[in-house]
Structures are given as structure tokens and as C-alpha cells.
Amino acid sequence: MPLRLYNTLTKRVEDFVPRDPSDISFYSCGPTVYDDAHIGNFRSFLAADLLRRWIESPLCEIGTKQGTHKGPRRVTHVMNITDVGHMTDDGDADGGGEDKMEAAARRLESQFEKQKAEAKKSGTSHAAAALDPSDPYQIARFYETRFREDARRLGLKLALEADKDPTLMPRATESVAGMIALVARLIEKGNAYVVGAPGSRVVYFRVKSFPDYGRLSGNTLDRLKEGEGGRINAEHQVQKEHPADFLLWKEDARHKMKWDSPWGAGYPGWHIECSVMSAARLCLTAPPVVGGGKGPVGGSSSVSLAALTIPDAAPIIDLHSGGEDNIFPHHECEIAQSCCAFNQRPAGAPYAAMWFHPRFLMVEGTKMSKSKGNFFTARDLFAKGIEPAALRLELIKTHYRSNANFTMQGLTDSQRMVDRWRRVAESAGEQKATQLQGADLPVLREFAQALHDDLNIAGAMAAVNSWVGSIAAPTADDAAVMRLIDGVLGVLDLERPQAARSEIGIFLPGTTPDPVVIAKLEERRAARAAKDFRTSDRIRDELLALGYAIKDVAGGRVEVSRRL
């Protein structure tokens, strides 16, 4: 059975049929770099990474009009970095509120000053010491760097590739010229219009020029006209032709991040950036395919965004992903502006042949929230000693169309699973595997069958765990099979934090031999030697209050870990 996925646009599970099965284009909406990405963000990014890895696997089969394509194939995966234009009221198609980068500048100005003062007091350096929090560009680069670090540690293949090919992770601020060209093209074609006097001009997309608006999300023009769901902001309606018309460009001399345009100095709307960055990389500048592929859908890389034309209502790219919160308004608006700009016949055009939307992540059964104390970034968990492999597996092991429930017990279970798989993968030693028989092996056949069925990761992992449990003494062949499977799961080769040792303590990943902790451990050892167990228990409780859990181990040492 070839790969079948749920298409958000058609509301059904269907065969994934790309334009060219040997050369697949994939675009994922990436982070807005005004803060560290949290584990809910990474759930979406890693679901896309899992899909990408599966498509590239030699075990994956893809349907075509001529039959089944069994590979090899290449996926060109692009993810944008949003560093301008994403407003705080992102549920509003008008892009209400203020730019998230400017909001971050104000938030961080006081926060960084406090952190610098604490660092100076303790005699340590602060990571943002050289950062000017009033500069949104510096903030963007700071958090972008941290996002890339976290993504690499979690095995996001795209982040690893982007180190060598930066065009795979384009920045919105470096793509504004393309956005201006695309807005001008939409105005010329009658799909957008300018309102307001010089100094306060706004360019809106004319939703009535695209009758399919609402097909992705179900937010049809009639429903939006009624203001259902609070999506329409009354204060912006006076100048608009239709309440759902959305922002493409806003003239605003006060905005810190602004560019000259035919409609005055200002900034782009959030939605326009992805239309530009996806087409620019996947349709115009994609390198030619080795071995006779078709190359960019638009033909020569000399074609500009202003001239790129897609025949009839054909898809512009093969795959598009993002969290379910991107469905409306962001992806709905993307479809409208992209199809009107690039397709010869916009009506019925899907922009992407397949729309892939992972659902939300809960934490311990509730919505993640800083006020509830259950809000985690990836680096929060790394600092507590959580292995990247365990975190990656915990975030991908629930089917993408189900809400995932992140728990600390789940993390522990994921770590145990990774350890079991590693024992199989590392069992070969100097032995060499015989020739694998591909999906003829039951475990590979079951693994492939599950992932072909709408990326059924639970079924795939069940097949792997059943097989691992049946192995008495792993062989080189078993190790080779495990490595083939891990080419999709992507956990075995991730960084493994090492424990640090002192004379008295073994400090597990996430901890360091802190002098304060060591002093308390020595005091506790002396108390235990004197059989003063009350004092020993008091010191243990004091360490717990500081966030450390301790465990006595062989050799008279104490194992120190972060309390989760």
C-alpha cells in the first residue's frame, strides 16, 4: 500500500501523489523568533520531520498515475524564520495588535537587565550580555540561533541541512523585496487594493476575488461576514470591501522594522511571507535533480516571482505543514494569495497538493501555560538532564492527528525505549550484516504498513518493540535493521549527555558539581557516619528544595539528578 495521509484541504485520508515522486517539495511554517520555541512548537516541527524522513526511507512507497514509486527520492524541505510581521493578535486576519518582535523587545529589556544583574552578582556571564533588547533584529538573531541549536539537538534534519544551505531556512526580513513584488502583482491582477491617504496606506487582499476562500478551514465568507468566532475586528472594517479582506502591507513610519514600498514605508502582513519564501526556494531556486528529475516547477531559476506562472489549477508545492493553529487565518490566506498570484486558473487550485496539520500538545492532561508551571521549552528539559532522544521520541510517538499528552512518566518510558533500541543497534561490534531483504522481513513489513497508513507511528513502534522483545541475542543483521528503522525515527545518534564525577558525587546530565551541593553532600556523609540520620534526612530535604534528587550508590558516592 502506498503512502496515504489525511489532507486538511479535502478532509479525508488519500493517496499522497506528488508532482514528481523522485523530487518532492515540502514547506513547513517555522518559528516566530521572539522567544524560545516550546515543546508544543517542536511537536509540529518533529511531526513534519518524521513525515519527511519516512518519505525518504527506502521502505516508503508513493503512488503515481503510472503505478507505485519505490525510490530513491529526495525531499527539499524548507522552513521559514518569521522575524517580522507576525502580530500579537494572530487570530485576526487583519494582523491586529503589535509586532511580536517589538513586543519581545519591550518584554526583554527589563528581563535581561535583571538577569545581567544576577549574573554580575554571581560572577558568571549572561548569554545575552552583548544583546541590545531594544533592537528587534538582535532579538531575532538571538532566538533564531537558539532555535537552530535546539532543532539540531532534536535531530530536525532540515536544521542540519540548513547549516550548509541557508536557503532552506529563509528569513522573512531578507525576503521583503519578494513580498513587495508579490503584493504589486496581486494589485495588478485585481486581487488586492490600496486604501488610506499617504502616511496611513494599507494594502488588502480582496477575498471575493478567490471564491474558494474558506475551503481549508471552513470559515466561508458568509460566516466571516457575520463575525463568527470574533475573527473580524470592527475598527478595521470601514475601509475594507469585505470584512474578511486581509492585510498584505501596512504603511507605518513608527514601526521599528520597516521598508520602502510603492505604498509607503512600512511592513508586510504575516501571511504574505510564506507565499514568497515557499515559491522562491521551491519553484525558482531549487537545484536541478540528479538523474533526470524535472527541477523547479516554474522552470528556469531566472524566472522571477513577478512572472512565475503555474499551469491551470495545479499545486504549487507537494506538501505543506504547520500546527493546527495555522489553519486559519494563516494557511487560508496563504492559499488565496498564492493561487491568485501564480495559478493560471486560481479556482480550485490547492497551493499544496497535501496539507498536513499536527494537533496540539497538552502537558499532564492540561493546556500548557506559564501560569500553571507546566510550560517547557526544549532547552528547559535539556538543562534538567533530559536526553534529546527521549524528548524527540516523546514528541513524535502520538499520532499527529491526536492531541498529544506530554508527561514526565512518558519521558521516562521514552528513554527506556531508546535504551532498548540502542542495545540492538550497538550489538554488532565488528560483525558485518548480511544483505537485508527489505520489507520481506516481518518487522520492516509491519513498520512500513503502519507508516503508509496515515503515518501511524503507534503501530510502527509497536512492531519495532515486539520485534526487539523477541530478540534473545542481537546480531549484526538485527543492528542493521534497527539502523534502517532509525533512519525514520531519528533517535539513536542524538547527543547523549555525560555524567560529571567528583570524589563524593556522580552528577547526572542536567547537573554540575556545584560547590554548595558538594558541601551539603559532605555534611550528609559525616552525619550518616555518626548515625545522625535526622540531620542526614534534613540535608536531603534541603537538596530537594534546591531542585536536586539524591541516591546513594556503590562506592560511597551519591548520584545527583535534577528533580523533575
Side-chain angles (χ1 to χ4, degrees):
M1 177 180 72
L3 176 60
R4 292 172 60 79
L5 294 168
Y6 181 83
N7 191 342
T8 310
L9 188 67
T10 61
K11 312 295 187 294
R12 64 174 182 261
V13 176
E14 60 191 36
D15 288 348
F16 171 53
V17 183
R19 181 184 59 89
D20 179 351
S22 67
D23 183 25
I24 292 168
S25 55
F26 190 176
Y27 185 84
S28 293
C29 279
T32 300
V33 286
Y34 70 104
D35 205 344
D36 287 324
H38 57 67
I39 56 175
N41 301 138
F42 273 112
R43 197 234 170 170
S44 177
F45 302 148
L46 291 174
D49 184 69
L50 177 69
L51 175 57
R52 180 259 174 93
R53 285 171 176 264
W54 174 236
I55 291 172
E56 290 183 328
S57 170
L59 299 173
C60 180
E61 298 181 356
I62 289 180
T64 69
K65 294 179 180 178
Q66 292 74 37
T68 301
H69 184 270
K70 297 185 178 182
R73 64 183 64 94
R74 180 190 69 177
V75 176
T76 303
H77 193 184
V78 175
M79 175 186 286
N80 65 299
I81 298 293
T82 297
D83 52 1
V84 69
H86 191 170
M87 312 305 279
T88 51
D89 296 339
D90 57 7
D92 179 356
D94 273 322
E98 63 180 324
D99 194 295
K100 288 190 174 185
M101 298 310 305
E102 294 194 356
R106 191 177 61 257
R107 168 176 56 86
L108 293 178
E109 195 156 9
S110 60
Q111 180 180 323
F112 282 0
E113 287 303 318
K114 180 180 178 182
Q115 291 175 343
K116 288 177 184 178
E118 291 174 351
K120 184 177 180 179
K121 184 177 180 181
S122 63
T124 60
S125 60
H126 174 48
L131 178 67
D132 177 2
S134 67
D135 183 346
Y137 291 94
Q138 287 192 37
I139 292 171
R141 297 294 80 77
F142 176 72
Y143 282 119
E144 178 189 347
T145 298
R146 289 163 68 92
F147 169 75
R148 287 173 179 264
E149 290 171 353
D150 292 346
R152 287 192 295 267
R153 293 183 75 181
L154 286 168
L156 193 69
K157 198 169 181 180
L158 167 61
L160 299 169
E161 293 174 332
D163 286 343
K164 296 181 179 178
D165 181 1
T167 67
L168 295 173
M169 294 184 79
R171 297 168 178 156
T173 51
E174 295 174 359
S175 306
V176 174
M179 298 181 210
I180 292 171
L182 194 61
V183 172
R185 185 175 186 182
L186 289 168
I187 293 172
E188 181 182 350
K189 296 180 73 172
N191 301 114
Y193 59 96
V194 186
V195 298
S200 59
R201 286 169 288 189
V202 180
V203 183
Y204 286 113
F205 181 86
R206 181 177 280 120
V207 292
K208 283 189 172 181
S209 69
F210 187 63
D212 288 336
Y213 190 85
R215 183 160 61 122
L216 181 74
S217 64
N219 286 312
T220 61
L221 294 184
D222 287 342
R223 292 179 66 190
L224 288 170
K225 188 172 183 179
E226 296 167 3
E228 184 168 317
R231 298 294 191 182
I232 302 303
N233 191 332
E235 68 178 282
H236 294 124
Q237 301 314 305
V238 178
Q239 297 177 307
K240 295 165 69 170
E241 295 178 2
H242 188 280
D245 289 352
F246 57 87
L247 179 74
L248 296 175
W249 187 270
K250 184 172 184 178
E251 183 179 18
D252 185 354
R254 297 169 301 173
H255 199 276
K256 286 187 177 181
M257 308 174 82
K258 56 182 177 288
W259 293 261
D260 290 332
S261 81
W263 320 285
Y267 60 92
W270 176 33
H271 314 304
I272 196 70
E273 68 174 75
C274 287
S275 294
V276 169
M277 288 187 276
S278 61
R281 180 58 178 86
L282 295 171
C283 299
L284 301 181
T285 60
V289 181
V290 177
K294 297 178 183 177
V297 70
S300 168
S301 62
S302 63
V303 176
S304 68
L305 285 173
L308 174 65
T309 301
I310 308 300
D312 299 324
I316 296 171
I317 57 177
D318 296 316
L319 264 169
H320 196 309
S321 77
E324 66 174 327
D325 54 329
N326 288 146
I327 294 174
F328 188 87
H330 187 47
H331 288 168
E332 194 73 75
C333 297
E334 251 187 280
I335 292 173
Q337 64 201 15
S338 300
C339 296
C340 287
F342 301 131
N343 282 101
Q344 286 180 335
R345 181 167 56 84
Y351 178 40
M354 180 67 67
W355 287 86
F356 178 84
H357 289 103
R359 297 200 64 188
F360 291 122
L361 178 79
M362 311 289 280
V363 175
E364 303 289 354
T366 62
K367 184 177 179 181
M368 187 164 53
S369 167
K370 290 182 178 179
S371 63
K372 294 178 181 177
N374 67 348
F375 183 95
F376 298 108
T377 66
R379 55 185 50 221
D380 286 338
L381 295 170
F382 297 152
K384 294 176 182 290
I386 301 301
E387 272 202 36
L391 180 54
R392 177 185 171 94
L393 185 59
E394 181 66 11
L395 293 177
I396 67 172
K397 71 182 185 184
T398 301
H399 189 259
Y400 74 94
R401 283 200 290 126
S402 298
N403 284 332
N405 186 29
F406 178 90
T407 68
M408 290 304 169
Q409 182 58 52
L411 260 182
T412 299
D413 295 342
S414 292
Q415 182 65 66
R416 289 173 181 155
M417 205 177 301
V418 170
D419 291 341
R420 290 178 69 209
W421 295 348
R422 278 184 179 144
R423 283 194 288 272
V424 175
E426 296 170 356
S427 64
E430 298 299 319
Q431 301 177 54
K432 292 186 177 180
T434 58
Q435 184 68 37
L436 287 179
Q437 297 302 311
D440 289 341
L441 293 170
V443 61
L444 296 182
R445 184 168 58 249
E446 293 170 17
F447 183 77
Q449 183 177 5
L451 291 180
H452 279 137
D453 182 16
D454 195 25
L455 212 64
N456 179 2
I457 183 64
M461 288 170 55
V464 175
N465 287 328
S466 176
W467 167 70
V468 169
S470 71
I471 300 173
T475 65
D477 285 355
D478 294 328
V481 170
M482 191 70 246
R483 285 291 175 184
L484 181 59
I485 289 169
D486 188 61
V488 179
L489 301 179
V491 296
L492 298 184
D493 292 327
L494 297 185
E495 165 197 347
R496 295 191 227 181
Q498 300 298 312
R501 296 173 182 266
S502 71
E503 183 273 331
I504 194 172
I506 301 173
F507 291 81
L508 297 184
T511 66
T512 56
D514 187 302
V516 173
V517 176
I518 290 174
K520 287 187 177 294
L521 293 179
E522 290 173 343
E523 183 184 353
R524 177 176 176 270
R525 181 165 62 182
R528 287 171 65 86
K531 300 189 182 303
D532 183 358
F533 298 112
R534 179 177 296 179
T535 298
S536 173
D537 291 344
R538 174 182 57 78
I539 295 169
R540 179 200 60 204
D541 293 342
E542 289 174 356
L543 287 168
L544 278 173
L546 292 172
Y548 296 96
I550 61 173
K551 176 183 176 182
D552 293 301
V553 295
R557 284 180 168 173
V558 181
E559 188 178 85
V560 182
S561 61
R562 277 288 184 187
R563 184 184 183 188
L564 297 179

